[in-house]
Amino acid sequence: MSRLRVGFITTSFPLWLGSTSGPFVAQLVQQLAQHVHVTVLTPCTNRLVESVDSGFKIHCFRYAPRRWQILAHLPGGIPAALRNYPMSWLLLPGFLLALFIAIWRLSCQVDVLHANWSVTGVLAGLVGFFSGTPVITTLRGEDFNRARKSLLFRYFLKFCLHLSWKISVVNEAIYYDLKSQYPAFSGKIFFLPNGVNEVFNRIPLMKSAESNSQVTLLYVGSLISRKGVDVLINSCAVINKKISWILNIIGDGPEHEYLKKIINSLQLENKINFLGSVSPDVVPDFLNSIDILILPSYLEGRPNVVLEGMAAGRVVVASDIPGVRELIRHGENGLLFKAGDSVELARVLDGVLEDSDRRRRLGAAARQWVIEQNLTWPAAARRYIELYRETLASREPNRS
């Protein structure tokens, strides 16, 4: 039997060494490529592509002169680019047309198209409708959150559901909401969770520490408003002053200078460090050297950084939001706090800053939960390949 050919369409993908664009997408592709032929279709950037022999092809499509190709691959993705660079709206029509043409060409070379995010799914679905190429679309938290706020994105979501042969979601809450809100499409909606690199499971578990030892906190993610990094910084101003701690912030984005001003106003310059963007390959090293991982987001799908922290055996303190709540059971394998509430976050942090035994117990329970759920990238890839084969076997889309 010949190997299945998959066209993987995504607006976020690491095109140069050390890029932080779509690392979770790249992890899935790397695992898929061990079993099927994968061609990744993604927008070009204003940087040169640094190709790496990784077992799959990368095709980046041009949509403007190179120096103007700024819509994708920056922190926060296309929405952040449109918000922070108003002139970039002028690039959007050409971008969508170039993406549609590139998908059409790709459809002639593959057995199945796998689109990521709803807008991409609509374009791939239109191509599939006319070409007959099966289309699977993966939806994430951003798709659902935008659809709640915007009539335009609700239309995109509905068109995506209509045009795609199968829909996968990475979040249980979204899975049940979609099936409830769009019962006509419920038969084509599947829950396929993301995985985590198994290197995180090999990080040594924490040991009990001396009561006076410094506790290291870590945030990993884009510096954009919905991530709530300002909430984390404000909480640091009121946590127990008797406990020695330091916070490292990994990531970059448009809120960098704003966050620095908050830190300066609170006189926390000596306690909080900005480390900038780092290669996903070194994140395990950082997790190995910290005590507490914090995610103060207002909105998430099913955040991979939380899974990575749990797999590493570190206590994760995160916002009590749907995408996180299905991973963390408060007080059992992690800790939750009300999104946006810096006072409650400080209270929760105080409870683990002063208790290394509790940190150790929560971290060990978190790793055990990830193992029991079989949340690895090889397992995720197998689930997708099974979905590809089921879709191809049907050969007729279930359009309602």
Side-chain angles (χ1 to χ4, degrees):
M1 180 185 295
S2 60
R3 293 183 89 189
L4 188 65
R5 300 170 301 167
V6 177
F8 199 92
I9 310 158
T10 175
T11 54
S12 296
F13 200 82
L15 292 178
W16 61 89
L17 297 177
S19 170
T20 58
S21 175
F24 55 93
V25 177
Q27 291 274 6
L28 175 59
V29 168
Q30 288 167 7
Q31 291 299 322
L32 288 172
Q34 297 185 28
H35 307 282
V36 298
H37 291 296
V38 181
T39 301
V40 175
L41 176 65
T42 194
C44 293
T45 73
N46 54 7
R47 297 183 54 156
L48 291 174
V49 176
E50 298 173 356
S51 59
V52 179
D53 184 11
S54 48
F56 55 88
K57 298 177 183 177
I58 298 178
H59 174 68
C60 65
F61 66 90
R62 296 189 62 176
Y63 57 92
R66 178 185 291 171
R67 70 192 189 100
W68 294 353
Q69 293 182 144
I70 58 171
L71 276 178
H73 307 296
L74 295 174
I78 294 175
L82 293 173
R83 186 167 53 251
N84 296 306
Y85 307 102
M87 293 297 290
S88 65
W89 281 94
L90 298 175
L91 300 172
L92 193 57
F95 175 91
L96 295 173
L97 178 60
L99 175 55
F100 180 82
I101 294 171
I103 294 172
W104 185 275
R105 290 173 175 168
L106 180 63
S107 71
C108 301
Q109 307 165 19
V110 299
D111 301 304
V112 62
L113 293 169
H114 183 169
N116 291 264
W117 294 282
S118 59
V119 176
T120 306
V122 169
L123 295 179
L126 287 171
V127 169
F129 182 84
F130 291 106
S131 70
T133 308
V135 175
I136 294 169
T137 301
T138 296
L139 300 177
R140 295 183 171 82
E142 293 176 20
D143 296 297
F144 209 59
N145 292 328
R146 292 189 189 116
R148 283 174 173 162
K149 300 176 182 178
S150 165
L151 179 61
L152 176 62
F153 274 99
R154 282 198 291 277
Y155 279 122
F156 274 127
L157 180 59
K158 190 168 184 177
F159 287 147
C160 182
L161 287 165
H162 179 76
L163 292 167
S164 299
W165 291 32
K166 304 286 185 184
I167 295 286
S168 70
V169 295
V170 300
N171 175 308
E172 276 188 284
I174 293 176
Y175 170 73
Y176 289 114
D177 283 349
L178 276 180
K179 289 175 76 74
S180 173
Q181 292 185 31
Y182 302 95
F185 304 112
S186 62
K188 63 166 71 174
I189 301 171
F190 298 84
F191 170 52
L192 275 70
N194 280 345
V196 65
N197 194 314
E198 290 166 295
V199 69
F200 292 98
N201 290 328
R202 296 193 287 270
I203 293 174
L205 290 170
M206 290 185 296
K207 298 180 180 179
S208 298
E210 298 294 331
S211 59
N212 60 350
S213 61
Q214 180 173 269
V215 180
T216 303
L217 316 177
L218 179 68
Y219 166 83
V220 182
S222 299
L223 305 184
I224 55 179
S225 58
R226 71 175 176 84
K227 293 290 187 177
V229 185
D230 55 334
V231 176
L232 170 57
I233 292 171
N234 285 320
S235 75
C236 289
V238 294
I239 57 179
N240 193 332
K241 301 297 189 298
K242 297 179 182 178
I243 301 169
S244 177
W245 60 270
I246 191 166
L247 168 63
N248 293 324
I249 296 176
I250 292 178
D252 205 350
E255 292 224 325
H256 188 176
E257 291 304 315
Y258 165 67
L259 297 172
K260 285 181 67 175
K261 289 179 180 178
I262 296 177
I263 291 170
N264 292 337
S265 68
L266 297 173
Q267 299 182 337
L268 293 173
E269 302 95 325
N270 296 327
K271 304 288 287 183
I272 301 178
N273 304 312
F274 284 99
L275 304 184
S277 295
V278 304
S279 169
D281 294 337
V282 303
V283 171
D285 294 330
F286 280 100
L287 286 174
N288 186 34
S289 65
I290 63 109
D291 301 283
I292 303 170
L293 176 71
I294 307 169
L295 183 75
S297 294
Y298 292 96
L299 297 169
E300 289 287 347
R302 204 170 194 252
N304 258 62
V305 68
V306 169
L307 278 178
E308 290 170 350
M310 295 174 72
R314 296 310 184 255
V315 57
V316 179
V317 177
S319 305
D320 188 3
I321 54 179
V324 173
R325 200 179 301 130
E326 62 191 56
L327 303 176
I328 294 179
R329 297 190 297 269
H330 181 71
E332 295 182 28
N333 63 355
L335 297 168
L336 300 172
F337 69 96
K338 183 180 178 181
D341 192 333
S342 59
V343 174
E344 185 181 353
L345 173 55
R347 180 182 59 77
V348 171
L349 286 174
D350 278 343
V352 284
L353 280 169
E354 60 190 19
D355 192 341
S356 66
D357 286 335
R358 190 183 185 204
R359 295 198 300 269
R360 178 179 54 78
R361 290 194 302 271
L362 289 170
R367 171 177 287 180
Q368 184 60 34
W369 184 86
V370 172
I371 292 171
E372 290 172 355
Q373 298 296 312
N374 194 24
L375 296 175
T376 66
W377 283 118
R382 288 193 296 270
R383 296 182 190 111
Y384 274 104
I385 292 170
E386 183 178 348
L387 188 61
Y388 298 155
R389 298 201 182 280
E390 288 178 2
T391 305
L392 286 168
S394 68
R395 295 310 301 173
E396 288 297 331
N398 179 24
R399 296 193 181 95
S400 302

